[in-house]
Amino acid sequence: SYVNLALDSIVADASVILQGNTDDRGSREYNLALGQRRADSVRNMMTLSGARDGQIESVSLGEEKPRALGQGESTWSQNRRTDIIYRGE
């Protein structure tokens, strides 16, 4: 699974930033809160799977960093995600 792959990649001195993203529907405030909930959900899953809480930072980007541009479900579904950014090893 993606969680196990991410955990296997985290070494003692490494850390990750979880960036919660949303599609462009909804207000800016709503999307920032939704992106944070998305990132926090991945954070909770990683800590339940054994990652140390201090190695993980979760932030929301809301709709500010889309993976796909345009309208429609196929575009929106690509933008509803949490990106895992690795720091230091």
Side-chain angles (χ1 to χ4, degrees):
S1 77
Y2 292 113
V3 172
N4 289 334
L5 179 62
L7 290 173
D8 290 343
S9 300
I10 299 175
V11 294
D13 295 332
S15 61
V16 295
I17 300 175
L18 304 174
Q19 296 177 334
N21 297 273
T22 66
D23 58 38
D24 62 356
R25 297 176 295 170
S27 70
R28 182 177 189 279
E29 293 79 16
Y30 176 83
N31 284 336
L32 284 172
L34 178 59
Q36 189 65 52
R37 286 194 306 271
R38 213 167 254 149
D40 288 343
S41 292
V42 174
R43 179 188 193 126
N44 290 338
M45 197 61 185
M46 292 177 81
T47 56
L48 288 172
S49 297
R52 289 179 298 160
D53 193 54
Q55 290 181 285
I56 306 168
E57 177 184 352
S58 59
V59 298
S60 176
L61 300 180
E63 62 188 73
E64 302 302 317
K65 192 176 172 186
R67 178 171 287 158
L69 300 175
Q71 298 295 312
E73 187 56 41
S74 64
T75 298
W76 295 328
S77 66
Q78 292 180 59
N79 293 328
R80 295 187 301 256
R81 68 188 192 282
T82 297
D83 294 325
I84 301 172
I85 310 300
Y86 296 92
R87 299 186 296 188
E89 293 187 46

